[in-house]
């Protein structure tokens, strides 16, 4: 595929994202834990997922749900110990599955000892660990900053919330008039990079299978077209090739043409960036709600697909901890049609916990741990009909985030018992994907029909001798499209049957079908 080591298990991988706080609590403190994840591994495996991405689980004051790390080497006590996490790795591997941790290389918590040291007036080992100006009256342009809280005279750039100081990987082209802007090869940035490698070494050594990398495209400053950051990741790629050739890397970047050049195996299409991902599920008229437009998404996808030259995978998530729940905008059978798309596209699919049962966005919540509007997508998993939907034995008032209170809230148990549920459909779709080479991560794609404001969406997936026509119609109307293929075998269909006469195909309303051609 390319010159960097590629973990072959990615070809068949279907990922499941776990937000550890909200998955399963085993000690009745209202917060999910490693033990809970271990308890539910069989549930994830039964669904057909082969790999996990775990949101940050490291020591943190949790001002941004753990994306503000205060000790990269220690599991957050509320989830368990490093030994418990190691046990989770082992249990995952016992089931032939893989697990990615969430690496936050761009910033730390203000409580990280590195930052405390770097705030000191006297020069020390950590003075240049973060991006500081040399006067409190000067702020780093283009970034927010932390000012007036240190003895050190300077403002420190922040990456996200104002309590997340930016680690210093240097400036791509430092402004000579601003001495504090260091080149990437200066001592400070190089020490930060070395520290990052040590962290990766530690967790990969303990048995994790790789990382999802937070804000991967933003490490080098003053780097609009990403050249510096790509070079930085190439350097890390060389380190991984030498020491951990099996490690799998997926970036939160949203620009596969850049991230894959940097040596990532996978990049996400996201709710931000140029991908038009939101057109599908999260905008005023999402395509999968039945009335929207898919053509701009497809145009951009094709562009990315070509530019990425098969260097790696473009991954489309059902959602994540930063977006509204999928079921906020897509309802009923349309969710099944949306998953037929997600599970028949190239790249490794990512299912956000709870999306497999259509968990709803919980509206009107007060922000929890820096979640703000994201809080509603982070509510505890609904397992069954017992108190707190089986998430926790804590009193309801002590749950990490309040749950969906509706009487008809979906649960995993009910959906597992119902062959017509969303979860059962997803399970079927994963089985079908896994049984067909053409549908796997690296099968090719060619779009057959994707017209402005029209349905259906049709594409061909192929590998070797196998060619599969996928037809997706989320609209409430029967539609047709010019189609010269003659299906020889139906592999999957939901919502009726495709009719073809060698020239035109007629597609039922709210339908998804896969056919060998
Ligand atoms: C990423 C994470 C998000 C976090 C932010 C800052 O976008 O997914 O949850 O708040 O980075 O680390
Ligand atoms: Ca707990």
């Amino acid at each position: 595929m390319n010159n960097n080591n590629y973990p072959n298990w990615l070809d068949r991988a279907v990922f499941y994202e776990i937000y550890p706080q909200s998955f399963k609590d085993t000690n009745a403190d209202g917060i999910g834990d490693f033990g809970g994840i271990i308890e539910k591994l069989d549930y994830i495996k039964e669904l057909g997922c082969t790999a996990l991405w775990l949101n940050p689980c490291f020591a943190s004051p949790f001002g941004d749900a753990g994306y503000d790390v205060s000790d990269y080497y220690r599991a957050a006590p509320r989830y368990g110990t490093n030994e418990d996490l190691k046990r989770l790795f082992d249990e995952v591997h016992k089931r032939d599955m893989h697990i990615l941790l969430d690496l936050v290389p761009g910033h730390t918590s203000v409580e990280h000892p590195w930052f405390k040291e770097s705030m000191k007036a006297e020069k020390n080992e950590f003075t240049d660990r973060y991006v500081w100006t040399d006067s409190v009256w000067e702020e780093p342009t283009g970034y927010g900053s932390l000012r007036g809280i240190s003895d050190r005279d300077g403002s420190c750039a922040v990456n996200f919330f104002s309590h997340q100081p930016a680690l210093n990987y240097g400036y791509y082209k430092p402004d000579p008039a601003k001495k504090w802007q260091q080149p990437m090869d200066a001592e400070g940035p190089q020490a930060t990079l070395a520290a990052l490698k040590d962290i990766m070494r530690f967790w990969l050594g303990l048995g994790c299978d790789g990382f999802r990398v937070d804000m991967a495209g933003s490490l080098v400053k003053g780097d609009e077209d990403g050249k510096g950051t790509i070079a930085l990741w190439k350097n890390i790629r060389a380190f991984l090739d030498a020491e951990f050739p099996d490690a799998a890397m997926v970036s939160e970047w949203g620009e596969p043409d850049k991230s894959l050049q940097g040596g990532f195996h996978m990049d996400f299409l996201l709710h931000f960036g140029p991908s038009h991902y939101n057109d599908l599920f999260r905008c005023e008229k999402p395509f999968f709600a039945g009335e929207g437009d898919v053509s701009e998404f497809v145009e951009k996808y094709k562009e990315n697909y070509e530019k990425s030259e098969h260097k790696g995978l473009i991954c489309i998530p059902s959602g994540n901890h930063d977006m509204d729940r999928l079921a906020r905008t897509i309802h009923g059978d349309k969710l099944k049609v949306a998953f037929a798309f997600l599970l028949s596209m190239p790249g490794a699919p990512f299912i956000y916990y709870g999306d497999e049962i259509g968990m709803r966005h919980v509206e009107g919540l007060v922000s929890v741990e820096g979640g703000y509007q994201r809080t509603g997508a982070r509510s505890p998993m609904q397992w069954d009909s017992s108190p707190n939907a089986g998430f926790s034995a804590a009193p309801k008032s002590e749950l990490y985030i309040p749950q969906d209170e509706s009487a008809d809230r979906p649960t995993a148990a009910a959906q597992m018992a119902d062959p017509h549920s969303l979860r059962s459909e997803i399970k079927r779709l994963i089985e079908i994907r896994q049984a067909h080479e053409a549908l796997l991560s690296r099968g090719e794609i060619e779009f057959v029909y994707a017209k402005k404001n029209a349905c259906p969406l049709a594409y061909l997936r192929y590998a070797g001798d196998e060619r599969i026509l996928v037809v997706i119609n989320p609209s409430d109307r029967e539609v047709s499209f010019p189609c010269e293929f003659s299906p020889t075998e139906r592999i999957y269909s939901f919502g009726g049957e495709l009719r073809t006469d060698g020239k035109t195909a007629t597609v039922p309303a709210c339908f998804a079908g896969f056919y060998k051609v």
Side-chain angles (χ1 to χ4, degrees), residues 19 60-69 104 106-111 115 130 142-147 149 156-167 214-215 218 221 271 321-322 367-375 378 400:
Y19 192 72
S60 166
F62 291 98
D64 184 14
Y67 285 94
D68 47 335
V69 178
V104 190
H107 46 267
T108 66
S109 155
V110 279
E111 291 184 17
F115 189 65
Y130 297 83
Y143 306 89
S145 75
L146 267 161
R147 317 162 55 215
I149 60 160
C156 184
V158 299
N159 272 349
F160 195 71
F161 289 140
S162 45
H163 55 72
Q164 288 161 311
L167 285 161
D214 189 63
M215 293 179 67
S218 67
K221 302 306 182 203
H271 54 299
H321 60 290
D322 293 329
S367 176
V368 174
E369 294 188 342
Y372 300 96
Q373 104 288 349
R374 306 176 294 182
T375 307
R378 299 174 175 185
Y400 172 68

Side-chain angles (χ1 to χ4, degrees), residues 179-255:
K179 284 274 175 290
W180 53 268
Q181 293 191 356
Q182 303 177 351
M184 291 171 64
D185 59 4
E187 207 179 308
Q190 286 298 309
T192 310
L193 178 57
L196 176 62
K197 289 178 187 168
D198 282 342
I199 293 163
M200 296 173 78
R201 222 175 244 128
F202 179 78
W203 292 109
L204 290 168
L206 213 65
C208 90
D209 297 296
F211 300 99
R212 173 268 186 188
V213 179
D214 189 63
M215 293 179 67
S218 67
L219 299 191
V220 176
K221 302 306 182 203
D223 185 32
E224 277 80 72
D225 52 13
K227 290 209 174 87
T229 303
I230 292 169
L232 183 93
W233 284 111
K234 279 189 171 157
N235 178 308
I236 294 173
R237 167 51 45 208
F239 145 70
L240 289 172
D241 284 344
E243 294 184 36
F244 299 97
D246 296 331
M249 299 288 289
V250 54
S251 47
E252 185 201 33
W253 195 319
E255 295 177 78

Side-chain angles (χ1 to χ4, degrees), residues 238-398:
F239 145 70
L240 289 172
D241 284 344
E243 294 184 36
F244 299 97
D246 296 331
M249 299 288 289
V250 54
S251 47
E252 185 201 33
W253 195 319
E255 295 177 78
D257 53 317
K258 294 180 182 160
S259 51
L260 304 183
Q261 260 187 70
F264 281 96
H265 304 109
M266 308 177 264
D267 191 16
F268 289 115
L269 301 188
L270 291 160
H271 54 299
F272 59 84
S275 73
H276 283 273
Y277 168 82
N278 285 340
D279 297 8
L280 302 176
F281 312 114
R282 294 171 185 80
C283 63
E284 209 179 307
K285 277 188 173 184
F287 178 69
F288 282 100
E291 305 269 346
D293 174 49
V294 77
S295 65
E296 291 185 66
F297 168 83
V298 169
E299 278 319 302
K300 200 69 207 176
Y301 186 92
K302 287 201 290 206
E303 201 183 304
N304 272 322
Y305 192 71
E306 270 149 41
K307 275 203 256 171
S308 63
E309 298 166 331
H310 295 88
K311 282 200 186 76
L313 310 178
I314 301 173
C315 298
I316 311 179
S318 70
N320 69 25
H321 60 290
D322 293 329
M323 305 181 208
D324 290 355
R325 277 277 180 194
L326 184 64
R328 190 179 208 184
T329 36
I330 316 294
H331 309 291
D333 285 347
K334 293 197 164 76
L335 281 169
K336 296 179 181 171
V337 176
F339 272 98
F341 163 80
L342 286 164
L343 293 165
S344 64
M345 284 292 283
F350 277 72
I351 301 176
Y352 181 49
Y353 83 96
D355 279 355
E356 76 278 20
I357 57 168
M359 257 173 68
R360 299 177 189 128
H361 197 88
V362 183
E363 307 290 342
L365 295 179
V366 174
S367 176
V368 174
E369 294 188 342
Y372 300 96
Q373 104 288 349
R374 306 176 294 182
T375 307
R378 299 174 175 185
S379 65
M381 179 66 183
Q382 295 152 204
W383 293 106
D384 55 37
S385 56
S386 66
N388 301 326
F391 162 67
S392 166
K396 184 167 151 182
S397 57
E398 282 169 29

Side-chain angles (χ1 to χ4, degrees), residues 18-258:
I18 295 181
Y19 192 72
Q21 289 90 321
S22 294
F23 199 54
K24 171 73 187 170
D25 173 24
T26 54
N27 63 347
D29 63 356
I31 293 197
D33 41 56
F34 296 139
I37 299 172
I38 293 174
E39 205 178 295
K40 294 297 184 184
L41 285 177
D42 290 333
Y43 166 87
I44 300 166
K45 183 158 173 101
E46 197 270 349
L47 178 63
C49 290
T50 63
L52 308 179
W53 153 28
L54 200 60
N55 288 109
C57 57
F58 313 107
S60 166
F62 291 98
D64 184 14
Y67 285 94
D68 47 335
V69 178
S70 56
D71 184 349
Y72 286 102
Y73 290 94
R74 195 160 65 93
R78 67 189 193 177
Y79 304 132
T81 60
N82 282 14
E83 288 68 45
D84 296 328
L85 183 50
K86 165 85 172 105
R87 196 158 56 86
L88 171 59
F89 299 162
D90 295 342
E91 291 293 330
V92 164
H93 296 150
K94 260 192 220 162
R95 289 167 178 78
D96 278 328
M97 296 166 78
H98 293 88
I99 178 166
L100 307 184
L101 295 182
D102 206 318
L103 183 69
V104 190
H107 46 267
T108 66
S109 155
V110 279
E111 291 184 17
H112 196 292
W114 295 345
F115 189 65
K116 291 187 179 156
E117 286 299 307
S118 93
M119 284 202 294
K120 292 183 175 163
E122 56 281 6
K123 203 169 161 51
N124 61 58
E125 187 187 342
F126 301 101
T127 299
D128 294 329
R129 180 60 47 101
Y130 297 83
V131 180
W132 286 92
T133 66
D134 52 20
S135 152
V136 74
W137 310 120
E138 182 182 4
E139 291 182 82
T141 35
Y143 306 89
S145 75
L146 267 161
R147 317 162 55 215
I149 60 160
S150 60
D151 291 343
R152 173 180 185 159
D153 187 6
S155 310
C156 184
V158 299
N159 272 349
F160 195 71
F161 289 140
S162 45
H163 55 72
Q164 288 161 311
L167 285 161
N168 180 22
Y169 295 93
Y171 274 72
Y172 183 53
K173 284 192 176 142
D175 178 347
K178 297 181 173 167
K179 284 274 175 290
W180 53 268
Q181 293 191 356
Q182 303 177 351
M184 291 171 64
D185 59 4
E187 207 179 308
Q190 286 298 309
T192 310
L193 178 57
L196 176 62
K197 289 178 187 168
D198 282 342
I199 293 163
M200 296 173 78
R201 222 175 244 128
F202 179 78
W203 292 109
L204 290 168
L206 213 65
C208 90
D209 297 296
F211 300 99
R212 173 268 186 188
V213 179
D214 189 63
M215 293 179 67
S218 67
L219 299 191
V220 176
K221 302 306 182 203
D223 185 32
E224 277 80 72
D225 52 13
K227 290 209 174 87
T229 303
I230 292 169
L232 183 93
W233 284 111
K234 279 189 171 157
N235 178 308
I236 294 173
R237 167 51 45 208
F239 145 70
L240 289 172
D241 284 344
E243 294 184 36
F244 299 97
D246 296 331
M249 299 288 289
V250 54
S251 47
E252 185 201 33
W253 195 319
E255 295 177 78
D257 53 317
K258 294 180 182 160

